[in-house]
Amino acid sequence: MRLILIFLLIISSILSFAQPGKKPVAKEKAPTQKEMEDMMKEAQKAMEEMSPEDKKMMDSMGVKMPSLKNIPNVSDKQLADAWEDENRIVPIKDNARIVAISKTALTAASVTPYLQSVYDQLIKKLEPAVVQTSEKIYTWLNAKSPGATATGNAGAGLWMMGNPEHALYILSKACMDGPADADNLNNFAACLTMAGAEQLALPVLSYLNKQYPQNSTILNNIGQAWFGLGDMDKATKYLDSTLTLCTWHAQANLTKSRIEESKGNTGEAIALVIKSIQKNYSREKEDRLRKLGYKLSGNDFDWMFPRKPDPLGLEEFSRPDFPTSVMESISLKPIWEEFRDKCTNEINVLKTQLKQAEETMQKETMRKMEENISFINNSINQGAISGNFNDLPLYAPKASLKLKEISEGKDGYSFQLQKSGTSMAEYMISSGPLEVEYRKTIEEITEKELEQTGEGKPSLSFCPQKRDVADKFLSAYNIKWQVLCNDYLKLTRNRLNEEAYWYQYIQWPDQYEVTKLNIKIGWLELLRDAGFESVTEYKCAPPKPPKNSGKLVNFNDIHCDYHSELNLGFGSIENHCDRMVTKIDISIKGFGLKGKLNQDFGDNRNTFSDQFVNCTIELGYKEGVGFGKGPIRAEAKAGAYGFVEIDRTGFTDGGIKVTADIKAGTNIIKSLDGTESYIDKNGVPIPNLSQGPIKDLSLTVIGAEAKISIMSGFSVEGKGILKGIKK
């Protein structure tokens, strides 16, 4: 099955490559027309040689194999040009579009006419159906939440949800309705840049820059626009200004890294991508680092979600002590037997649950596989892949790197466990003579005892003497052995706790349930199967009470403890440990727009595949949270805010942060149970003591009241949905 999936991917990639206008797969060298023809023939031959069983299985899943015999030919020049397009680090300077930029600076009086002119060009470029549906959405939004702010937030929300054409239309209308709204103007200009109309965005951004100087968001967006137009000198000027204000700015660093790479400064390019990924992770950035020769580690980026030190409650479990004398061996024997029986009974219960969980996981795995096959089939029929596979949860790559960082290296728990296990093995070997000496001494005492036993002999008891020897042996062996075992137990507990925490972000819920049960079973087996020395045959006095009889408790029911929601009125973005669920639902008489972005893997996998998009969207309360005037600055550190990182595949990162040691107003953020939260000096949410503990971080940002600022990435030579738009 896996080979079939890989094979289909290769075929669909070839289809995408072979079509004029489509971008080729990146190679060291562009393929020639002959090489492409040979690839097609090999692919067609492979399909024709498929076994009847494989064909039948694929037919049963609805997969229709395409024919590669009638694929249009492309010339060597077309292939070379497409390859160069794909691998260009920075855009070629576009003098025609640069000359088209208005030379007259916008004013409060002229901004509305300018916006009208942009709108007029926009509706000519967008498909008529998009314009019609967008106007219906605009009318519906105004009726539901009147005002330019709410309309503009809806436009930004549509952009987040993978509807760029509708977003551009709604934002243009919002800007004309409220030309003094800096957030809407910034967001419209940012989207124009990412859609390939940088020359139309720059006058608006320059106008904002005069009103709000030293605003990192505006400066970044200006730099991105000049980059898209191919003017690296001006792009560098504004990007450097942005980085002076915010050294870790996600988009400014990412774009500046391309400029440095184009100059041959690979080391600086790597450093800039690392800064970009510090606050906002994406696989695209990780891939870029890999291409530059750097392997990303978990220490290179921050982790924003709260965590519990002992999520499964493993520290509450304890096993009985090891005996250090014969009397303790005797008294601990029934206690250990009872403890082991309880562990075994609980393990059997967990194994029954594990079997059921594994069956559920297998069903879910098959369901996802069938969805992916259907997705590949649809992509092949359309001639190219668009969207993402249902492969990993949203935060899985990021969390995997964090877990790897903790587990590997000389300070990682894998090394520490190995070191501890080696110490235990060495101790067992080194203590061998101790046991030999003990056995030898007991044998000598036994021989003396036999000599004193019989008719006419004293028949003295040697039990106390043997017990003393056994006590010395048990004390010498078990005290140190228990220390070594406890060290190993502690390291194992730390490892299991780390896995219990990180795997909730790495795995789907059905897989995570299996992982949790395996962790619980492994922990109980480790407690139960402890080995130690015990001597019970020299009972010469009443046994002593045990020091520690052990304790079995219930495991904590660990579950996702981070939930946040951005509610935009017509849709929502829910952020959970394993995924980001994005829903849109606009129902108008005679028209409906519904969908889910690819992180929820719903029926509609809307993406930004028709243009390059990489942006960060910051959200905060509209007034009074210390963000300052103008669009939200990335470096703002007050109150609470949300962020969303987007690239061409959709969301790559996102969530809600509480960023200062102040009370978070309920209009900005509130927990789902209505309580309010504070954070400590490390930025970790803590409960409002007057309202009791908060069990998890469940937060909501209200879209209509939110302040939304888009920090744009760049388009490549205006190849977005507005490619070719004129001033």
Side-chain angles (χ1 to χ4, degrees), residues 72-108:
N73 290 325
V74 289
S75 67
D76 288 351
K77 185 178 185 307
Q78 283 178 304
L79 290 169
D81 289 346
W83 180 85
E84 185 180 353
D85 256 359
E86 175 71 14
N87 292 279
R88 183 174 289 118
I89 299 171
V90 298
I92 297 172
K93 194 170 185 177
D94 193 334
N95 290 313
R97 288 200 295 148
I98 291 174
V99 170
I101 298 172
S102 174
K103 303 300 186 292
T104 304
L106 293 180
T107 64

Side-chain angles (χ1 to χ4, degrees), residues 582-632:
T582 308
K583 302 176 182 178
I584 181 171
D585 188 352
I586 299 177
S587 300
I588 310 169
K589 187 176 182 181
F591 167 75
L593 179 61
K594 295 185 178 182
K596 297 180 182 179
L597 203 61
N598 44 350
Q599 272 71 30
D600 191 35
F601 303 103
D603 297 331
N604 290 333
R605 289 178 171 84
N606 302 314
T607 70
F608 299 105
S609 58
D610 55 351
Q611 77 276 335
F612 184 91
V613 169
N614 194 298
C615 66
T616 304
I617 298 175
E618 302 279 350
L619 309 107
Y621 186 52
K622 191 70 181 175
E623 301 293 344
V625 293
F627 287 107
K629 295 181 179 179
I632 296 175

Side-chain angles (χ1 to χ4, degrees), residues 248 273-281 300-303:
W248 51 264
V273 181
I274 293 174
K275 288 181 181 178
S276 173
I277 213 170
Q278 179 183 347
K279 303 291 184 182
N280 301 94
Y281 169 90
D300 290 325
F301 55 86
D302 299 336
W303 184 260

Side-chain angles (χ1 to χ4, degrees), residues 150-346:
T151 304
N153 283 351
L158 287 167
W159 184 273
M160 284 186 265
M161 294 177 176
N163 294 274
E165 296 95 339
H166 298 106
L168 283 163
Y169 185 94
I170 298 299
L171 280 168
S172 70
K173 297 286 280 188
C175 287
M176 288 188 290
D177 289 345
D181 191 312
D183 296 310
N184 286 345
L185 291 175
N186 171 75
N187 295 343
F188 182 42
C191 293
L192 285 172
T193 292
M194 292 184 288
E198 293 91 340
Q199 73 278 16
L200 298 183
L202 275 168
V204 177
L205 292 169
S206 297
Y207 171 69
L208 290 173
N209 194 33
K210 289 181 180 178
Q211 289 184 297
Y212 308 103
Q214 296 189 320
N215 182 293
S216 61
T217 296
I218 296 171
L219 291 169
N220 167 74
N221 292 351
I222 294 175
Q224 303 291 351
W226 281 117
F227 180 89
L229 291 170
D231 192 324
M232 295 304 115
D233 291 336
K234 289 184 178 178
T236 299
K237 171 187 172 183
Y238 285 99
L239 293 174
D240 283 347
S241 296
T242 304
L243 295 176
T244 299
L245 296 168
C246 181
T247 57
W248 51 264
H249 196 286
Q251 303 310 322
N253 276 298
L254 190 61
T255 302
K256 182 73 185 300
S257 76
R258 287 182 170 267
I259 298 175
E260 292 301 323
E261 185 188 0
S262 71
K263 296 177 180 178
N265 300 329
T266 304
E268 181 63 18
I270 290 172
L272 288 163
V273 181
I274 293 174
K275 288 181 181 178
S276 173
I277 213 170
Q278 179 183 347
K279 303 291 184 182
N280 301 94
Y281 169 90
S282 76
R283 276 194 271 187
E284 184 169 8
K285 294 176 186 177
E286 183 179 356
D287 291 341
R288 174 153 172 70
L289 283 172
R290 189 179 297 112
K291 181 180 177 182
L292 290 169
Y294 181 85
K295 185 177 181 181
L296 185 70
S297 77
N299 285 333
D300 290 325
F301 55 86
D302 299 336
W303 184 260
M304 63 168 288
F305 302 127
R307 60 174 302 175
K308 300 173 183 177
D310 186 25
L312 284 174
L314 302 184
E315 290 188 17
E316 297 298 319
F317 290 76
S318 65
R319 59 189 180 192
D321 285 325
F322 296 175
T324 60
S325 68
V326 172
M327 293 297 100
E328 285 185 4
S329 295
I330 295 170
S331 61
L332 283 169
K333 182 179 179 180
I335 292 172
W336 266 101
E337 290 174 349
E338 182 183 7
F339 179 79
R340 285 174 170 145
D341 287 343
K342 287 181 178 179
C343 287
T344 298
N345 292 336
E346 183 63 22

